[in-house]
mmCIF file of all heavy atoms in Angstrom:
data_model
loop_
_atom_site.group_PDB
_atom_site.id
_atom_site.type_symbol
_atom_site.label_atom_id
_atom_site.label_comp_id
_atom_site.label_asym_id
_atom_site.label_seq_id
_atom_site.Cartn_x
_atom_site.Cartn_y
_atom_site.Cartn_z
ATOM 1 N N CYS K 319 76.757 -55.229 11.850
ATOM 2 C CA CYS K 319 76.154 -54.664 13.062
ATOM 3 C C CYS K 319 76.980 -55.002 14.292
ATOM 4 O O CYS K 319 77.590 -56.071 14.381
ATOM 5 C CB CYS K 319 74.736 -55.204 13.254
ATOM 6 S SG CYS K 319 73.560 -54.572 12.051
ATOM 7 N N GLU K 333 55.874 -66.169 14.925
ATOM 8 C CA GLU K 333 55.522 -66.463 13.537
ATOM 9 C C GLU K 333 56.493 -67.482 12.931
ATOM 10 O O GLU K 333 56.073 -68.437 12.270
ATOM 11 C CB GLU K 333 55.535 -65.158 12.739
ATOM 12 C CG GLU K 333 54.985 -65.260 11.354
ATOM 13 C CD GLU K 333 54.912 -63.903 10.651
ATOM 14 O OE1 GLU K 333 55.389 -62.875 11.184
ATOM 15 O OE2 GLU K 333 54.389 -63.904 9.530
ATOM 16 N N TYR K 336 56.226 -70.966 14.790
ATOM 17 C CA TYR K 336 55.027 -71.682 14.343
ATOM 18 C C TYR K 336 55.355 -72.532 13.116
ATOM 19 O O TYR K 336 55.001 -73.703 13.039
ATOM 20 C CB TYR K 336 53.909 -70.685 14.036
ATOM 21 C CG TYR K 336 52.629 -71.338 13.570
ATOM 22 C CD1 TYR K 336 51.695 -71.791 14.489
ATOM 23 C CD2 TYR K 336 52.366 -71.498 12.214
ATOM 24 C CE1 TYR K 336 50.518 -72.403 14.061
ATOM 25 C CE2 TYR K 336 51.200 -72.098 11.776
ATOM 26 C CZ TYR K 336 50.279 -72.553 12.703
ATOM 27 O OH TYR K 336 49.125 -73.164 12.284
ATOM 28 N N ASN K 341 57.577 -78.211 10.590
ATOM 29 C CA ASN K 341 58.565 -78.712 9.625
ATOM 30 C C ASN K 341 58.835 -77.787 8.446
ATOM 31 O O ASN K 341 59.190 -78.235 7.369
ATOM 32 C CB ASN K 341 58.180 -80.109 9.130
ATOM 33 C CG ASN K 341 58.173 -81.098 10.269
ATOM 34 O OD1 ASN K 341 59.079 -81.085 11.100
ATOM 35 N ND2 ASN K 341 57.154 -81.927 10.326
ATOM 36 N N GLU K 354 69.718 -67.142 20.550
ATOM 37 C CA GLU K 354 70.763 -67.022 21.565
ATOM 38 C C GLU K 354 71.684 -65.850 21.232
ATOM 39 O O GLU K 354 72.317 -65.282 22.106
ATOM 40 C CB GLU K 354 71.566 -68.318 21.674
ATOM 41 C CG GLU K 354 70.787 -69.431 22.347
ATOM 42 C CD GLU K 354 71.559 -70.725 22.430
ATOM 43 O OE1 GLU K 354 72.788 -70.717 22.175
ATOM 44 O OE2 GLU K 354 70.941 -71.743 22.756
ATOM 45 N N ALA K 366 51.557 -52.492 22.797
ATOM 46 C CA ALA K 366 50.101 -52.631 22.641
ATOM 47 C C ALA K 366 49.447 -51.279 22.374
ATOM 48 O O ALA K 366 48.552 -51.173 21.523
ATOM 49 C CB ALA K 366 49.498 -53.276 23.888
ATOM 50 N N PRO K 373 46.821 -47.601 11.711
ATOM 51 C CA PRO K 373 45.707 -47.894 10.797
ATOM 52 C C PRO K 373 45.447 -49.397 10.835
ATOM 53 O O PRO K 373 46.378 -50.192 10.779
ATOM 54 C CB PRO K 373 46.253 -47.469 9.423
ATOM 55 C CG PRO K 373 47.412 -46.574 9.705
ATOM 56 C CD PRO K 373 47.956 -46.983 11.028
ATOM 57 N N GLN K 390 59.652 -48.952 20.560
ATOM 58 C CA GLN K 390 61.041 -49.007 21.024
ATOM 59 C C GLN K 390 61.970 -48.090 20.221
ATOM 60 O O GLN K 390 63.175 -48.066 20.466
ATOM 61 C CB GLN K 390 61.565 -50.451 20.919
ATOM 62 C CG GLN K 390 60.815 -51.443 21.773
ATOM 63 C CD GLN K 390 61.029 -51.191 23.248
ATOM 64 O OE1 GLN K 390 62.147 -50.929 23.693
ATOM 65 N NE2 GLN K 390 59.963 -51.256 24.019
ATOM 66 N N THR K 399 58.849 -54.683 2.419
ATOM 67 C CA THR K 399 58.673 -53.276 2.766
ATOM 68 C C THR K 399 57.265 -52.770 2.450
ATOM 69 O O THR K 399 56.757 -51.892 3.150
ATOM 70 C CB THR K 399 59.718 -52.400 2.053
ATOM 71 O OG1 THR K 399 59.643 -52.623 0.642
ATOM 72 C CG2 THR K 399 61.126 -52.716 2.546
ATOM 73 N N THR K 414 68.342 -56.774 1.698
ATOM 74 C CA THR K 414 68.589 -57.724 0.620
ATOM 75 C C THR K 414 68.920 -57.017 -0.683
ATOM 76 O O THR K 414 69.152 -57.681 -1.689
ATOM 77 C CB THR K 414 67.385 -58.662 0.398
ATOM 78 O OG1 THR K 414 66.260 -57.907 -0.027
ATOM 79 C CG2 THR K 414 67.066 -59.434 1.653
#
Side-chain angles (χ1 to χ4, degrees):
C319 290
E333 189 175 6
Y336 180 86
N341 297 317
E354 287 179 12
Q390 298 293 317
T399 56
T414 64

